[in-house]
């Protein structure tokens, strides 16, 4: 099942992060922390990639909706 991040009811939005080698918790556009100009699309359950051949912490930039994912 494709999950998408939920928006918080207040103005603060909790960021979703994952590290290289862990399973992606939410399908979406991910960027390495500190390098938001580099974006990678990762599907839920996939392994989070390395960044420049090193382990990285990734932050969810935008979650994908079901219509964005093609089989």
């Amino acid at each position: 099942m494709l999950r998408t991040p939920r928006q918080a009811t207040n103005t603060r939005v909790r960021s979703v992060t994952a590290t290289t080698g862990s399973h992606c918790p939410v399908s979406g556009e991910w960027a390495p922390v500190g390098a938001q100009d580099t974006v990678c699309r990762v599907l839920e359950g996939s392994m989070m990639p390395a960044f420049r051949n090193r382990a990285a912490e990734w932050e969810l930039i935008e979650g994908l909706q079901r219509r964005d994912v093609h089989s």
Side-chain angles (χ1 to χ4, degrees), residues 40-54:
C40 181
R41 181 177 280 193
V42 184
L43 296 177
E44 179 182 348
S46 300
M47 297 295 272
M48 295 302 293
F51 177 63
R52 296 184 179 158
N53 294 324
R54 295 186 183 214

Side-chain angles (χ1 to χ4, degrees), residues 15-20 30-34 48-49 51 54-59:
S15 65
V16 177
T17 60
T19 56
T20 297
W30 292 81
V33 172
M48 295 302 293
F51 177 63
R54 295 186 183 214
E57 182 174 0
W58 294 84
E59 182 175 22

Side-chain angles (χ1 to χ4, degrees), residues 1 5 9 12 16 18 24 27 30 34 42 44 48-49 59-60 64 67:
M1 175 163 100
T9 55
R12 254 181 118 186
V16 177
C24 179
S27 295
W30 292 81
V42 184
E44 179 182 348
M48 295 302 293
E59 182 175 22
L60 182 65
L64 295 178
R67 69 180 185 277

